[in-house]
Amino acid sequence: MDVVYLDFSKAFDKVDHNILLHKLKDLQINGKTLQWIQNFLEDRSQRVVVNGRLSKPHPVISGVPQGSVLGPLLFLVLIGDIDEHVLHSIVASFADDTRVTNGIKSDQDAAHLQNDLFQIYGWSQRNNMTFNSVKFELMRYGKDDQLKETSNYVTPEWEQIETKEAIKDLGITLQNNLSFKQHITNIAESAKRMSAWVFRTFYTRERLPLMTLYKSLVRPLLEYA
């Protein structure tokens, strides 16, 4: 099983308003609702302060406002058809994190995965989205080392995608041997560092404040995933 992790370059800032509005129309979102979303996106400007001096306003011609409820939803509308021409692989997205997965039994399966990647690269060009291909990563599950050596995958610039033994996927450290040892070690180390910070920062050793700090700062690190 080969999994390619893709990375968008400034994903939320690159959303093309015209393309997004056309996709909303295709989803039968029209009338005042569409006009309201258009007003939400357009006629925005940004300014920069350097050494106490304020720049002139500059129009914001792309992107969705971050920190809003609508922003991530509109981004999902934009990338909703990213797998439209993908024939053999499974494409999964969580916000701007996207991975492409295919079972590999032969070189032909690897070629299918590469062709699906090319389809996604073409989608990014049509939708004015840019990939940060330097951050592409490949995870390969399975014991067929010969098959792994004969099949490689490339970025839009035809650079080989780097193979990793461990990858962090939505907060979970995955290993190519299907062990969670590294993930468990990372969680334990993170909790130990936070516990040490609590003891360095707070002089009290009273039970109630320490339990409050543990439940709010340390325990969530241990319980997530």
Side-chain angles (χ1 to χ4, degrees):
M1 182 75 71
D2 286 351
V3 187
V4 177
Y5 289 82
L6 307 177
D7 186 80
F8 286 104
S9 178
K10 299 181 179 179
F12 288 91
D13 295 331
K14 293 288 184 69
V15 173
D16 187 299
H17 293 165
N18 289 329
I19 293 175
L20 174 58
L21 292 171
H22 277 96
K23 290 189 177 185
L24 289 169
K25 289 181 181 178
D26 292 339
L27 294 173
Q28 306 303 313
I29 297 176
N30 298 295
K32 291 184 178 180
T33 303
L34 182 64
Q35 185 63 51
W36 181 75
I37 295 175
Q38 184 173 356
N39 292 340
F40 174 74
L41 292 171
E42 296 180 347
D43 295 327
R44 292 179 177 269
S45 62
Q46 59 187 8
R47 309 174 83 174
V48 179
V49 177
V50 179
N51 294 329
R53 300 187 64 180
L54 186 64
S55 69
K56 294 180 180 179
H58 188 77
V60 178
I61 59 175
S62 67
V64 292
Q66 297 188 46
S68 64
V69 176
L70 265 184
L73 182 61
L74 294 175
F75 180 79
L76 290 178
V77 170
L78 181 75
I79 68 169
D81 59 351
I82 190 174
D83 60 348
E84 182 179 10
H85 299 292
V86 172
L87 300 179
H88 304 281
S89 307
I90 299 173
V91 181
S93 295
F94 185 86
D96 59 334
D97 293 324
T98 301
R99 61 177 178 265
V100 189
T101 306
N102 195 28
I104 307 296
K105 294 182 179 180
S106 65
D107 291 339
Q108 185 65 35
D109 292 327
H112 286 159
L113 176 52
Q114 182 63 70
N115 288 334
D116 288 338
L117 289 172
F118 284 140
Q119 293 296 335
I120 294 174
Y121 301 160
W123 174 92
S124 69
Q125 293 179 342
R126 293 191 300 273
N127 288 270
N128 290 339
M129 296 293 289
T130 305
F131 282 117
N132 184 8
S133 57
V134 177
K135 292 187 177 181
F136 283 12
E137 295 177 315
L138 169 63
M139 178 74 88
R140 320 193 84 159
Y141 300 100
K143 298 182 179 180
D144 192 336
D145 294 330
Q146 183 178 358
L147 183 58
K148 293 178 183 179
E149 291 176 0
T150 58
S151 57
N152 294 299
Y153 307 102
V154 297
T155 67
E157 296 79 24
W158 292 87
E159 298 288 340
Q160 184 172 328
I161 299 175
E162 184 178 1
T163 303
K164 298 284 188 175
E165 294 185 357
I167 287 179
K168 199 165 187 179
D169 187 343
L170 300 180
I172 314 297
T173 302
L174 303 176
Q175 295 174 254
N176 59 3
N177 60 0
L178 297 179
S179 167
F180 287 96
K181 182 177 181 180
Q182 185 172 337
H183 177 66
I184 295 170
T185 300
N186 292 344
I187 285 179
E189 289 296 328
S190 179
K192 285 168 63 177
R193 286 194 299 270
M194 182 58 71
S195 299
W197 179 85
V198 168
F199 285 127
R200 288 197 311 269
T201 306
F202 298 90
Y203 291 104
T204 181
R205 295 298 181 261
E206 295 286 337
R207 177 179 175 83
L208 179 59
L210 286 181
M211 285 296 294
T212 302
L213 289 165
Y214 169 76
K215 290 179 180 179
S216 60
L217 298 177
V218 180
R219 186 170 172 176
L221 297 176
L222 295 170
E223 291 186 344
Y224 176 74

